[in-house]
Amino acid sequence: MNPEPYLLFKERCVDELHNLQEEFKKVYDIDSHTNWEYDHGLGIFTIKYPDREYYFEYVGVGSYSNKTRTWKWSWDNEYTPDDVKKGMLKIPEFGKVRGYDELTTGLFDGDGETGWQMTAIANNLLKGFGAYKATSGHLDIYFLFINEVEKESYDKLRKRYVKCGEHGSRRRAFVCQHLNSNTKTGFEEAFPTYPDMEFEYEDDDFQAWCDECESVRVKYDGWNEESEKFAKIKLICEKCYFDIKEFNLGYKEG
Ligand SMILES: [Zn+2]
Ligand SMILES: [Zn+2]
């Protein structure tokens, strides 16, 4: 059997997304939203109204530049974090099997329609339930929504993240006041950790302290008012946490 010609496939995907968007716009009353915001760390796209907000887990599909008139797939974009382009590699894989060149080319010339067409294809392969075009300067950035997140889960998720001046929105981590990336102080942890790990329990956090804090902790037979006063735990981001860990354990000098 011959594969479906690309133009037909593309048209079919566009129709599919068009129908989905009608429903999506109705359900969320998209026409009356007043603002939007996305957070690549959290992986949440927020659509804002004067009296409420909706939260969507998304996949970044790609962006269309109105300046260079080119489409750039997210899977080919080093600035899009892996977490928000999960599953996007399905597109070039599928394109390779079918011989659909636009799906296997990271950057190509397009026009005003290209962004929605590519988003429609991503929707067909990744099973979204709605999409959004966010314009920022000369870029139209396309998002495919995979799940709606309830406010309660969003608030819970948000609480576990911090905005780091250096690394943006990241999972939170706790360290004693003595830990830093300039002086080695030892590195004790509540449990073994590695970057991007999934926690066993929902309430787990990255927690580390220095050798001195460890001896105080042992002296007081655990964390109590005294040992905590000495440690003066501070909040940092996950990336900073692992920078300090690597520095202290000497991987970097290795
Ligand atoms: Zn300490
Ligand atoms: Zn940081």
Side-chain angles (χ1 to χ4, degrees):
M1 205 180 85
N2 285 328
E4 186 179 9
Y6 179 58
L7 289 181
L8 284 186
F9 169 70
K10 189 153 82 170
E11 211 177 274
R12 185 161 64 81
C13 293
V14 168
D15 284 347
E16 209 174 77
L17 180 61
H18 183 79
N19 292 334
L20 211 63
Q21 282 298 89
E22 297 266 289
E23 183 65 17
F24 176 70
K25 282 183 164 174
K26 221 186 323 173
V27 171
Y28 296 100
D29 192 17
I30 294 296
D31 287 339
S32 69
H33 81 291
T34 45
N35 214 340
W36 53 268
E37 178 184 274
Y38 65 90
D39 186 319
H40 274 344
L42 290 173
I44 298 289
F45 194 105
T46 306
I47 295 190
K48 302 180 176 194
Y49 304 76
D51 57 345
R52 66 192 187 285
E53 294 183 342
Y54 292 122
Y55 311 101
F56 301 109
E57 213 177 285
Y58 66 85
V59 174
V61 179
S63 53
Y64 179 75
S65 165
N66 290 292
K67 208 159 67 185
T68 59
R69 301 186 159 274
T70 49
W71 168 257
K72 175 87 165 162
W73 285 108
S74 68
W75 54 260
D76 191 50
N77 193 336
E78 59 179 308
Y79 298 109
T80 313
D82 288 345
D83 276 353
V84 299
K85 51 188 183 194
K86 257 187 218 153
M88 280 299 289
L89 281 176
K90 268 190 197 165
I91 286 160
E93 278 161 18
F94 181 77
K96 211 169 145 193
V97 171
R98 293 285 185 99
Y100 296 166
D101 289 345
E102 287 185 345
L103 309 197
T104 57
T105 312
L107 178 77
F108 61 87
D109 292 337
D111 58 34
E113 300 292 311
T114 311
W116 280 115
Q117 290 169 347
M118 297 307 115
T119 303
I121 290 170
N123 174 62
N124 178 275
L125 296 174
L126 302 183
K127 308 282 170 249
F129 71 95
Y132 193 88
K133 175 180 87 171
T135 300
S136 172
H138 66 96
L139 283 184
D140 291 335
I141 310 166
Y142 289 81
F143 297 85
L144 182 65
F145 299 140
I146 302 296
N147 274 313
E148 184 182 355
V149 176
E150 296 296 328
K151 182 166 175 29
E152 202 183 321
S153 315
Y154 172 77
D155 288 342
K156 241 178 170 171
L157 183 71
R158 174 119 225 188
K159 243 186 255 162
R160 309 189 61 83
Y161 279 73
V162 286
K163 274 226 158 73
C164 170
E166 198 180 334
H167 303 115
S169 180
R170 300 272 179 168
R171 272 194 291 185
R172 68 181 181 183
F174 296 98
V175 295
C176 78
Q177 60 168 330
H178 314 103
L179 284 178
N180 63 75
S181 298
N182 303 313
T183 317
K184 286 191 181 180
T185 55
F187 197 89
E188 296 284 336
E189 283 185 296
F191 50 86
T193 64
Y194 54 90
D196 299 323
M197 70 184 278
E198 300 281 347
F199 291 127
E200 196 171 338
Y201 303 102
E202 207 188 332
D203 292 338
D204 280 345
D205 278 305
F206 296 109
Q207 294 171 37
W209 51 92
C210 72
D211 285 347
E212 233 186 309
C213 281
E214 176 62 4
S215 38
V216 174
R217 191 182 74 91
V218 169
K219 185 175 131 196
Y220 287 102
D221 209 20
W223 290 115
N224 65 5
E225 208 180 313
E226 289 307 312
S227 51
E228 281 178 19
K229 204 159 90 190
F230 183 77
K232 234 192 215 164
I233 297 291
K234 62 185 177 187
L235 178 67
I236 60 172
C237 92
E238 173 174 357
K239 184 82 178 54
C240 286
Y241 183 92
F242 283 101
D243 284 351
I244 294 173
K245 182 173 179 178
E246 278 184 14
F247 170 75
N248 267 283
L249 300 184
Y251 304 146
K252 272 184 177 163
E253 277 86 356

